[in-house]
Amino acid sequence: MDLEKRPAGDSAIRASDADRDRIGQVLADALAEGRLTAEEHAERLDSLYALKTVGELETLVRDLPGAHRNRASDAPVPPAAPAYAAPGEADTVVAVCSSAVRKGRWRPRARTQVVSVMGDVEIDLSEAVFEQQVVELRVVSVLGYIEIKVPENVTVRSHGGGILGAFEVVTTEAPDPGAPVVILRGFSLLGNVEARPRAGRRLADLSGRLRGQAGS
């Protein structure tokens, strides 16, 4: 049903994951067609996860073709997703016809947006310093490649897919309930996203360190 044919009050409905996926696809198409720059796409994609209602999401694509395509909220509502990362300052890693790497002793923020447009991105969390239990990576690969490496003893959850591309995530559930949780959300358009545990790499004393931070 087109936007003009829906009840006016419908715009105040809380957005679902399916609504966000629909808007994300419109943004990806616009980026691939050159209607948005990588910076504009990254800015709108970041807003995609901050806005709350269907009407607010529509403002992100109002000037783009496909803005009035069928709403995902007309379809059956998918099962509820696991918890999101807590609100906080976000980080951005962008590679446009280039490469970008994050590895070693770095501190991932609660949310990190990773965008690859005909580029290569490596995100290595195996030696990262986790300052919160839930870390969310929002990944978009357009004709690009994103590789994510995680320690063996953290939980990994995936909410994404490939559009004429690959979105391959090895999900894990850490035995320690206090271990960090890495959540991947996003999509791959004619590109590749891969995430898997790095053999032999483990973070030490995860639950004790996180509990200590929470009490400080």
Side-chain angles (χ1 to χ4, degrees):
M1 185 182 297
D2 288 345
L3 179 63
E4 293 82 359
K5 297 179 182 179
R6 296 180 67 90
D10 187 67
S11 62
I13 291 177
R14 299 278 292 194
S16 68
D17 283 346
D19 289 314
R20 298 182 196 282
D21 289 344
R22 177 180 63 86
I23 296 297
Q25 180 57 59
V26 175
L27 293 176
D29 291 344
L31 177 63
E33 295 167 0
R35 300 179 190 275
L36 293 177
T37 66
E39 291 76 13
E40 290 171 331
H41 178 265
E43 180 180 351
R44 296 194 190 195
L45 193 67
D46 190 52
S47 298
L48 176 65
Y49 293 92
L51 299 177
K52 302 300 183 184
T53 69
V54 172
E56 290 173 332
L57 292 183
E58 293 292 344
T59 64
L60 297 178
V61 296
R62 191 163 290 164
D63 59 342
L64 299 174
H68 303 306
R69 70 176 60 173
N70 289 349
R71 291 190 177 195
S73 55
D74 290 336
V77 177
Y84 288 78
E89 187 177 0
D91 195 6
T92 302
V93 180
V94 178
V96 180
C97 297
S98 61
S99 61
V101 177
R102 290 288 176 88
K103 64 180 181 179
R105 298 284 293 177
W106 65 291
R107 289 175 165 78
R109 295 176 181 171
R111 300 191 318 269
T112 298
Q113 182 171 280
V114 184
V115 179
S116 173
V117 181
M118 294 187 290
D120 296 305
V121 177
E122 177 186 351
I123 303 293
D124 190 344
L125 297 167
S126 58
E127 298 180 14
V129 178
F130 287 84
E131 296 183 328
Q132 53 277 315
Q133 186 171 13
V134 181
V135 170
E136 186 170 312
L137 302 180
R138 302 168 181 176
V139 298
V140 175
S141 174
V142 180
L143 293 169
Y145 177 66
I146 298 175
E147 181 182 21
I148 301 165
K149 302 173 183 177
V150 297
E152 291 183 322
N153 57 336
V154 304
T155 293
V156 179
R157 296 173 182 160
S158 173
H159 305 279
I163 305 167
L164 299 178
F167 196 96
E168 301 176 354
V169 178
V170 177
T171 60
T172 58
E173 198 70 29
D176 184 347
V181 178
V182 178
I183 300 175
L184 276 73
R185 300 184 187 275
F187 61 91
S188 172
L189 174 64
L190 295 170
N192 291 277
V193 173
E194 295 183 5
R196 64 190 69 253
R198 188 172 175 184
R201 294 287 187 171
R202 299 175 62 85
L203 297 183
D205 193 23
L206 298 179
S207 60
R209 181 172 58 186
L210 288 168
R211 282 195 296 268
Q213 290 171 354
S216 60

